[in-house]
Amino acid sequence: EKERDASIGIALSPFSTSSLLFSLPSLLSSLSTPTQNTSDLIKAVRSCKTAAQERDVIAKEAAALRAAFRDDVATGSLGGGSTSSGGGSGVLAGGSGVGALFRHRNVAKLMYMHMLGYPSHFGQMEALKLVASPGFAGKRIGYLALSVLLDERQEVLMLVTNSLKNDLNSADQYVVGLALAALAAVASKGMAVDLAPEVARLCCHSSAYVRKKAAAAAVRLLSRAPEEVVVNFVDVPVAL
């Protein structure tokens, strides 16, 4: 018992506490995935001499990503995390664990694995959570992943409609641009019907940056649901 008390005293000493604080970021990084960031994964894949080595690297990384995503779901359900982007579905509420802390990094790795031809379906919900996050950096990765990992045939895509509507009404033109670019890439018929009024309004925006992206999104919406949404775009050519 004396030895145990002594070890506890050492662990709680100011010097050990400060060293723990300094090492905490690297500790969290090591818990998220075997590689520190996306560039490390790319280097590891490029250094592989055979296809078997590449598959082994990807398999280990995929297992680590799955574990991080499970950790995020578990901490979110225990902590009762709230949704982002105002009034979103509880399904998109992120956790507060290590997986949530490094979600943007993990989704970036997932996109790289997808481009190499490996399965990425297990991370689709993480992309939607990034879209619903409040920060621009997270949204940027989330919308990119939305365009890369999903297409209009995926039913899970309908879960992001509310986040898209919120971002289309954002005061930040660059957030609006992200949402419009995603719509131009993956909008389905249902999304076209739901979001056509917002896109038509943005075609008359004061910013040329927003108007150009809104015009591209309008083309996509009109191609997916022409009869249902054309009434929203009657006056748009005059505005453009």
Side-chain angles (χ1 to χ4, degrees), residues 168 176-177 179-185 187 192 195-196 198-200 202-203 210-224 229 233:
L168 290 174
V176 175
L180 288 171
L183 273 178
L195 300 175
E198 281 76 13
V199 175
L202 291 170
C203 287
V210 174
R211 289 199 305 272
K212 287 189 290 185
K213 290 187 176 293
V219 171
R220 173 83 180 197
L221 301 191
L222 286 167
S223 68
R224 293 300 180 270
V229 306
F233 297 96

Side-chain angles (χ1 to χ4, degrees), residues 55-222:
R55 289 194 296 269
D56 184 57
V57 169
I58 295 297
K60 290 179 180 178
E61 193 68 36
L65 291 177
R66 289 175 186 271
F69 297 157
R70 284 196 302 269
D71 172 71
D72 181 26
V73 172
T75 54
S77 60
L78 291 175
S82 59
T83 58
S84 304
S85 298
S89 170
V91 177
L92 300 185
S96 57
V98 174
L101 184 63
F102 294 102
R103 182 182 292 130
H104 64 287
R105 180 184 298 175
N106 292 338
V107 171
K109 294 177 187 179
L110 193 68
M111 284 190 285
Y112 177 67
M113 292 164 56
H114 175 82
M115 289 186 288
L116 292 178
Y118 294 96
S120 60
H121 60 278
F122 60 89
Q124 291 176 347
M125 288 301 301
E126 300 303 309
L128 303 192
K129 291 176 184 178
L130 278 178
V131 169
S133 64
F136 178 80
K139 284 183 180 295
R140 182 171 58 179
I141 296 293
Y143 276 119
L144 178 60
L146 193 72
S147 302
V148 172
L149 303 179
L150 298 173
D151 58 50
E152 60 181 298
R153 295 169 297 177
Q154 304 283 342
E155 293 183 1
V156 71
L157 193 63
M158 295 304 297
L159 294 175
V160 82
T161 301
N162 189 63
S163 295
L164 278 165
K165 181 172 291 188
N166 290 331
D167 289 340
L168 290 174
N169 289 287
S170 173
D172 187 339
Q173 67 172 350
Y174 298 107
V175 172
V176 175
L178 290 176
L180 288 171
L183 273 178
V186 298
S188 62
K189 181 176 181 179
M191 295 172 70
V193 174
D194 292 337
L195 300 175
E198 281 76 13
V199 175
R201 174 180 54 82
L202 291 170
C203 287
C204 307
H205 198 275
S206 59
S207 170
Y209 168 82
V210 174
R211 289 199 305 272
K212 287 189 290 185
K213 290 187 176 293
V219 171
R220 173 83 180 197
L221 301 191
L222 286 167

Side-chain angles (χ1 to χ4, degrees), residues 4-14 16:
R4 182 186 63 184
D5 294 340
S7 63
I8 293 175
I10 293 174
L12 296 179
S13 66
S16 61

